[in-house]
């Protein structure tokens, strides 16, 4: 059992709790420091230098009017920085009522008036009016503390905001980033071993999920590899008895039975090869290289033309892209085979725009209903299930193999209607090279 249960420091809960605790302690430290500096419990404390003027005003206010000029002179000599002087009653105008003078008013008591006078240069001047109307003025050093020290609530709010921001950034990095990498790994899941394993770092829960996904990927890859090897071995072992049966069928005297048996044997061979082709396309075994897509499509059109089919190619003269040449040739060939099986005329169209390469195989056949378009991309699904499965009708693997090839290239395969009738099989692939059009 892990220590502290859910709040184990290597887990997400423990790390969030530790960060919240650290943020709370930091918040309290900042608030305490602001309190000790601003001392909101003593709001009426006079500013620096004001206590000297306060004491002088109390002394002069208690003295006779005839004694005040002499006392002012003595105070000026004793406190030259104070700059104390007598003013005629009503000879000055207050320049404001600073809140920092509240401490002086409190200490002087009733009968005394304290006001902010116009400054002399950079020095602030404060006037004190006695109960009998006489007035003195003096310079007061220091002033109100900075506004941020005078508002501890603002410091608290900013500290809380910073703590929450740090917590959010940490959560985004520790949680969102690994989850995004998991989603990306799922999208790029492949069985060829090209994908890098998920990094096992971060909180304990994230590392556990990464380890589990990596193990799952290894198990699936191993399972698919074992399946392919097993079926390949079965296919290899079946070739020998099929060959023996073909030899024996040649000695059958009944011409009708001999032909039917040879057709059945050829069907078994074609079915094995189609299934193995589909299984091979589940794994990317061929290296990616630069391929002239236009030349490949033109070659396929010429091959079917030599067999008596009407197949045209429309597109750029040269269009280079990164692909697996044999897989791409096999996928387009399967699409054209399906097209010539159901249509009289077929067009292979190539279009390259931006970062996408689009290959359309169009036929003028009966097409496929919208309800069955997605179903037709699944293995062993044929256009007419009532027909006998043979080489002429296919085994329902052509579109599946082509789709597997498109997905292996990072693209997709889709079915669309062609006007006025027919079908368009569209293979969309990523591209990095721009086409060179004919002059």
């Amino acid at each position: 059992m892990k220590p502290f249960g859910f709040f184990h420091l290597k887990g997400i809960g423990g790390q969030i709790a530790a960060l919240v605790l650290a943020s709370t302690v930091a918040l309290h430290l900042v608030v305490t420091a602001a309190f000790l500096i601003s001392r909101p419990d003593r709001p009426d404390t006079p500013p620096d230098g004001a206590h000297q003027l306060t004491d002088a005003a109390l002394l002069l206010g208690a003295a006779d009017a005839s004694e005040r000029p002499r006392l002012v002179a003595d105070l000026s000599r004793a406190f030259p920085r104070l700059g104390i002087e007598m003013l005629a009653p009503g000879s000055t105008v207050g320049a404001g009522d600073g809140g920092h003078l509240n401490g002086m008013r409190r200490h002087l008591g009733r009968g005394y008036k304290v006001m902010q006078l116009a400054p002399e240069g950079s020095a602030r001047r404060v006037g004190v009016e006695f109960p009998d109307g006489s007035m003195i003025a003096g310079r007061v050093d220091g002033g109100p503390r900075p506004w941020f020290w005078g508002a501890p609530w603002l410091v608290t709010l900013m500290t809380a905001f910073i703590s929450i921001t740090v917590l959010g950034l940490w959560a985004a990095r520790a949680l969102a980033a690994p989850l995004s990498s998991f989603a990306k790994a799922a999208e790029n899941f492949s069985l060829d071993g090209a994908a890098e394993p998920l990094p096992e770092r971060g909180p304990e829960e994230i590392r556990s999920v990464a380890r589990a996904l990596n193990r799952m990927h290894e198990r699936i890859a191993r399972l698919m590899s074992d399946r392919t090897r097993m079926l390949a071995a079965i296919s290899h072992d079946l070739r020998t008895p099929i060959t023996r049966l073909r030899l024996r069928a040649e000695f059958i005297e009944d011409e009708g039975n001999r032909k039917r048996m040879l057709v059945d044997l050829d069907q078994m061979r074609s079915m094995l090869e189609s299934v193995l082709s589909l299984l091979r396309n589940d794994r990317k075994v061929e290296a990616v290289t630069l391929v002239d897509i236009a030349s490949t499509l033109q070659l396929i059109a010429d091959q079917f033309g030599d067999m008596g089919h009407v197949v045209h190619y429309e597109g750029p003269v040269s269009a280079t892209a990164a692909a697996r040449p044999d897989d791409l040739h096999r996928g387009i060939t399967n699409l054209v085979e399906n097209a010539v099986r159901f249509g009289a005329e077929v067009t292979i169209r190539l279009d390259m725009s931006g970062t996408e390469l689009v290959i359309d195989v169009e036929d003028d056949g009966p097409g496929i209903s919208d309800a069955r378009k997605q179903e037709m991309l699944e293995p062993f699904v044929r256009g007419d299930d009532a027909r006998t499965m043979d080489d002429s009708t296919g085994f329902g693997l052509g579109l599946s193999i082509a789709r597997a090839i498109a997905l292996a290239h990072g693209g997709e395969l889709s079915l669309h209607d062609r006007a006025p009738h027919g079908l368009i099989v569209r293979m969309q692939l990523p591209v990095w090279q721009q086409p060179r059009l004919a002059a």
Side-chain angles (χ1 to χ4, degrees), residues 104-397:
M104 293 184 63
R105 294 190 183 96
R106 178 176 175 273
H107 284 78
L108 289 172
R110 294 183 179 181
Y112 291 86
K113 295 180 180 180
V114 183
M115 65 191 70
Q116 180 77 48
L117 303 179
E120 290 182 354
S122 60
R124 293 185 305 106
R125 297 178 69 243
V126 176
V128 179
E129 184 178 346
F130 302 136
D132 60 1
S134 301
M135 180 178 290
I136 64 171
R139 292 189 296 269
V140 177
D141 297 332
R145 294 179 178 87
W147 62 273
F148 49 84
W149 292 121
W153 61 270
L154 184 59
V155 178
T156 303
L157 181 63
M158 293 187 65
T159 306
F161 173 77
I162 293 173
S163 301
I164 294 174
T165 302
V166 171
L167 178 61
L169 292 176
W170 176 89
R173 183 179 182 276
L175 300 179
L179 293 178
S180 299
S181 65
F182 294 164
K184 184 178 180 181
E187 288 291 336
N188 299 330
F189 184 83
S190 63
L191 299 174
D192 61 349
E196 293 291 334
L198 291 172
E200 299 178 7
R201 59 173 180 268
E204 182 63 29
E205 293 85 352
I206 298 296
R207 293 201 299 270
S208 299
V209 173
R211 283 194 296 268
L213 290 176
N214 288 333
R215 288 196 299 270
M216 181 186 69
H217 184 277
E218 293 174 359
R219 288 195 297 268
I220 293 176
R222 187 164 53 250
L223 176 64
M224 296 298 293
S225 178
D226 293 342
R227 184 198 66 170
T228 303
R229 285 197 299 267
M230 177 187 67
L231 292 176
I234 293 175
S235 174
H236 181 271
D237 293 342
L238 285 177
R239 286 195 180 100
T240 301
I242 290 176
T243 303
R244 288 200 300 263
L245 288 174
R246 285 187 61 86
L247 293 175
R248 292 171 182 172
E250 295 293 342
F251 295 98
I252 297 178
E253 297 181 356
D254 190 325
E255 182 70 18
N257 288 333
R258 183 172 68 253
K259 288 184 177 179
R260 285 192 293 270
M261 182 172 292
L262 291 175
V263 168
D264 290 340
L265 292 173
D266 289 338
Q267 180 182 348
M268 291 175 60
R269 177 185 52 78
S270 298
M271 187 183 301
L272 285 173
E273 292 178 354
S274 298
V275 172
L276 287 175
S277 178
L278 175 64
L279 294 176
R280 282 195 300 268
N281 284 311
D282 283 342
R283 300 183 59 83
K284 305 174 188 176
V285 295
E286 188 182 5
V288 176
T289 184
L290 286 178
V291 181
D292 191 341
I293 307 296
S295 298
T296 300
L297 300 182
Q298 183 64 63
L299 175 62
I300 294 174
D302 294 340
Q303 289 174 344
F304 278 90
D306 295 339
M307 291 186 290
H309 300 290
V310 181
V311 180
H312 307 287
Y313 166 73
E314 294 183 5
V317 175
S318 178
T320 305
R324 296 175 175 85
D326 292 341
D327 286 350
L328 184 63
H329 188 282
R330 182 165 58 253
I332 301 300
T333 300
N334 287 345
L335 299 182
V336 177
E337 283 180 351
N338 285 341
V340 298
R341 184 178 295 124
F342 298 103
E345 185 173 350
V346 177
T347 300
I348 306 174
R349 199 181 310 276
L350 173 62
D351 180 44
M352 298 182 68
S353 58
T355 59
E356 189 178 55
L357 179 149
V358 180
I359 302 174
D360 287 343
V361 178
E362 306 176 5
D363 65 67
D364 56 357
I368 299 175
S369 63
D370 293 338
R372 298 204 65 191
K373 280 187 172 65
Q374 189 63 32
E375 179 186 4
M376 291 299 298
L377 298 177
E378 299 299 326
F380 302 106
V381 177
R382 295 179 297 145
D384 188 356
D385 293 333
R387 295 181 182 178
T388 303
M389 186 167 60
D390 54 27
D391 286 343
S392 62
T393 60
F395 303 105
L397 293 175

